[in-house]
Amino acid sequence: MFKGVLAVYSGLVGAFLTFSGLRFGKMHQDSLQYSKESPLMQLLLHLNFLWPLVIVLLWVKPLARGYVLHPPSLGTNSTVPVEPLMSEPWFETSRLYAVIFCVVLRLVLMHRYLQSYLNMAHQRIEYVKKQAGRISNMEIQKRIVRVFFYLCVVAVQYLAPVVLLLFYAMLLKTLGEYSWTGTHVPDSGNLTKNFTEFPSLQQDKIAGDEEPVKQAAQQLTLAFASLRNIFSVVFFRGVVSYICWWSATAVFVTNAFGMIYHSVFTI
């Protein structure tokens, strides 16, 4: 049942990000054309497009965690242990910083992408000029105004995927009890709380003369304690990490699909 709910939620996230990915693919293609004379800007644009893929690879255990925490030994003497590139707490924190960097990069390049969208008005005028027949000035003005009226929606489509990814990263940091400094990750023995932390719950029976309100409060506390043992930090780390990975995957796949779509079907 739980896996089915995750599957349905993953499908909904992928479906909701489809239209934003198509729009981003078009704006990214146009931005690259307008930045042919600036290699640095093209590098930033490509980095903005590929960075969600980097986030996806950081959550793939054999590619990221395996080589960072357990790097393979080089040379003939393979028995000598190799020092990890970073500690496990820092690796977990670096994935959160990677998501934040993705959002910052999107914000920095936002004006470039929105300007490439506004330039669609000029492209539509050029397309209308190539058509046979006469078109009134009112019709041309309507086509131009539609571009400007849709600008707010385009801005939301541009920022919504990475904001959603940032929200899940902050949720992972809070529920997973990670640290921004990468200095402490709770041990597995401290991830769940025992019933011994609730002295009132150790009573096997409730006295007959106890007040009903107190009895109901103890039952409610017992129920919350049971839920806390089920929804532990380990549970939240696994579920929210999967959601972060899938969101980054959906962002990159939809953006790549938008690039391919607009490369084949151009105006």
Side-chain angles (χ1 to χ4, degrees), residues 62-183:
L63 296 179
R65 184 184 293 272
Y67 283 93
V68 173
L69 300 181
H70 306 285
S73 58
L74 302 177
T76 57
N77 192 3
S78 59
T79 59
V80 178
V82 181
E83 293 293 332
L85 300 179
M86 63 177 64
S87 61
E88 184 174 357
W90 259 116
F91 176 75
E92 300 292 345
T93 305
S94 63
R95 297 196 292 194
L96 301 178
Y97 283 122
V99 176
I100 296 176
F101 178 75
C102 181
V103 178
V104 172
L105 190 61
R106 282 267 180 136
L107 292 175
V108 170
L109 298 176
M110 182 177 178
H111 70 285
R112 177 73 60 172
Y113 282 92
L114 294 184
Q115 183 60 48
S116 65
Y117 167 75
L118 293 176
N119 291 339
M120 288 181 58
H122 177 71
Q123 296 177 3
R124 292 186 178 184
I125 293 177
E126 296 297 328
Y127 178 74
V128 168
K129 291 180 179 179
K130 297 179 182 178
Q131 292 181 345
R134 297 182 59 184
I135 300 179
S136 62
N137 293 333
M138 186 63 65
E139 182 66 24
I140 296 177
Q141 292 178 2
K142 288 181 180 180
R143 295 193 178 189
I144 296 176
V145 169
R146 289 171 188 169
V147 176
F148 291 94
F149 284 168
Y150 203 68
L151 180 62
C152 295
V153 179
V154 173
V156 173
Q157 290 178 341
Y158 176 78
L159 291 177
V162 293
V163 171
L164 180 65
L165 186 59
L166 178 64
F167 169 75
Y168 288 138
M170 297 298 102
L171 196 64
L172 177 61
K173 189 266 177 187
T174 302
L175 298 180
E177 298 184 0
Y178 291 123
S179 174
W180 290 117
T181 58
T183 56

Side-chain angles (χ1 to χ4, degrees), residues 229-261:
N229 286 339
I230 295 175
F231 298 99
S232 60
V233 178
V234 176
F235 174 82
F236 286 122
R237 285 184 182 181
V239 173
V240 183
S241 294
Y242 167 76
I243 295 177
C244 287
W245 172 81
W246 173 251
S247 300
T249 303
V251 169
F252 177 74
V253 171
T254 53
N255 293 345
F257 178 76
M259 280 284 296
I260 297 174
Y261 177 82

Side-chain angles (χ1 to χ4, degrees), residues 15-53:
F16 291 153
L17 295 180
T18 301
F19 295 100
S20 62
L22 292 174
R23 177 65 62 184
F24 180 84
K26 175 60 177 176
M27 293 190 297
H28 183 73
Q29 185 181 19
D30 294 341
S31 299
L32 290 176
Q33 293 179 357
Y34 297 139
S35 303
K36 290 182 179 180
E37 299 179 356
S38 178
L40 179 59
M41 181 56 63
Q42 285 191 341
L43 178 62
L44 291 177
L45 293 174
H46 286 302
L47 186 62
N48 186 30
F49 179 79
L50 295 175
W51 195 254
L53 178 61

